[in-house]
Amino acid sequence: MSEIDEEEGHTSSIKTPKQLITVLVSAFLFPVLTIILLAQLVTGPRQIDQDDPIYSDEAVAKRLKPVGRLIVASDSPQADENVGVTSQTAGAVAAPAAAADGADRIKTIYTASCAACHTSGAAGAPKLGDKSTWASRIKSGTDTLYNSALKGKNAMPAKGGNASLSDADVKAVVDYMVSQAK
């Protein structure tokens, strides 16, 4: 090959300084303008068709409704029918406990604070009235039972998770549960 052929094979399409400046400016401006236009597309105002059914008040309310509901135990016979007690009535649980007297008051406290686990046996809790599971606990003595109820044991929180209960109330509920197992 000749020297002329070798030079033509290694030459650039940019021959003048003006062409070089044009390529450099284009290489800088093109990505910058692309980024600016994309940013405007993403952050710019959107046209929303308010007549679209997904923007109706009912559809929005359905999307925003809570996932779950608070269910509060009650010793009334309507408890099974009114399973969907809302969180607005959750604060009313303390009112029946204060209003009831004697045995009814203890049953109300049991229902509100203890029944969730001691009715189903959840987390190893002895079921109310199950003489075989309560027998060994009763043999350990009432002071041990009181201590477990007041301070908590295993999965059971102190005072059954209701810190507002007095020690006397907790002991009365323990006595009620023991009486049901004898």
Side-chain angles (χ1 to χ4, degrees):
M1 281 194 177
S2 69
E3 287 183 23
I4 297 175
D5 288 337
E6 287 181 20
E7 283 183 25
E8 287 181 16
H10 296 286
T11 62
S12 170
S13 59
I14 301 173
K15 307 249 187 242
T16 65
K18 183 178 179 182
Q19 290 176 338
L20 178 62
I21 291 172
T22 304
V23 167
L24 289 176
V25 168
S26 298
F28 174 75
L29 286 180
F30 181 75
V32 170
L33 290 175
T34 303
I35 291 170
I36 290 172
L37 290 174
L38 285 173
Q40 285 181 348
L41 176 68
V42 170
T43 61
R46 299 180 191 267
Q47 297 290 334
I48 296 176
D49 182 12
Q50 294 295 332
D51 296 331
D52 192 346
I54 65 169
Y55 297 112
S56 70
D57 290 339
E58 296 83 24
V60 171
K62 185 178 178 183
R63 287 193 303 271
L64 293 177
K65 79 175 188 175
V67 176
R69 294 181 293 177
L70 176 64
I71 299 173
V72 179
S74 173
D75 69 341
S76 68
Q78 301 165 347
D80 293 333
E81 296 171 11
N82 298 329
V83 173
V85 177
T86 64
S87 61
Q88 296 170 347
T89 60
V93 172
D101 290 332
D104 289 339
R105 184 175 189 283
I106 300 306
K107 287 180 184 177
T108 302
I109 293 171
Y110 167 80
T111 302
S113 300
C114 309
C117 296
H118 287 283
T119 300
S120 65
K127 292 183 180 182
L128 181 68
D130 185 356
K131 294 178 183 181
S132 63
T133 57
W134 278 97
S136 64
R137 290 170 173 86
I138 292 172
K139 285 180 185 177
S140 67
T142 54
D143 288 336
T144 304
L145 290 172
Y146 291 155
N147 190 40
S148 296
L150 290 169
K151 296 182 179 178
K153 183 175 182 180
N154 298 333
M156 182 179 76
K159 296 185 177 184
N162 187 351
S164 66
L165 292 175
S166 69
D167 289 357
D169 287 340
V170 174
K171 289 178 180 181
V173 172
V174 169
D175 291 338
Y176 165 74
M177 293 170 68
V178 167
S179 72
Q180 297 298 310
K182 288 186 177 180

